[in-house]
Amino acid sequence: MEAFRDLKLEVFVDGTLGAGGHAEGLLKNHPEIKRYIGFDQDPEAVEIAKARLAEWPAVELVNKNFQHLDAELNKKGLPKVDGILLDLG
């Protein structure tokens, strides 16, 4: 999460949420985040992340593949975000 440390993030999207490890790190280091939208197509991963990230009210989970990111953000009235994470490795 060092790469994001000096950035001001209010709306952040995690396209590959998984168990929420990256999300937890970002949320701990960026208390200014007002909305953290995490996508994952695996319902079990979403449930694990939901429990792990329960202390942060900014978290919104979407049980879909990140290919639906644009449509979902439009539904939420978010024409832009401050950052996007895709852990494709």
Side-chain angles (χ1 to χ4, degrees):
M1 299 308 107
E2 286 294 320
F4 297 116
R5 188 165 310 279
D6 295 329
L7 297 176
K8 174 111 170 136
L9 305 171
E10 291 188 7
V11 179
F12 196 88
V13 174
D14 186 339
T16 51
L17 181 67
H22 288 114
E24 183 177 34
L26 279 161
L27 290 159
K28 282 181 178 178
N29 287 294
H30 290 277
E32 78 276 11
I33 292 177
K34 291 182 173 83
R35 293 182 85 173
Y36 190 101
I37 300 143
F39 286 77
D40 205 291
Q41 64 186 4
D42 180 349
E44 290 180 30
V46 170
E47 286 303 311
I48 292 167
K50 183 178 181 178
R52 183 178 199 164
L53 305 173
E55 70 182 270
W56 288 281
V59 174
E60 302 171 37
L61 303 179
V62 180
N63 188 197
K64 291 186 178 179
N65 185 285
F66 66 84
Q67 72 182 4
H68 301 284
L69 189 145
D70 192 43
E72 290 297 315
L73 294 181
N74 283 331
K75 281 185 202 175
K76 293 177 179 293
L78 294 169
K80 69 179 191 101
V81 299
D82 298 310
I84 296 176
L85 171 68
L86 295 173
D87 184 1
L88 302 175

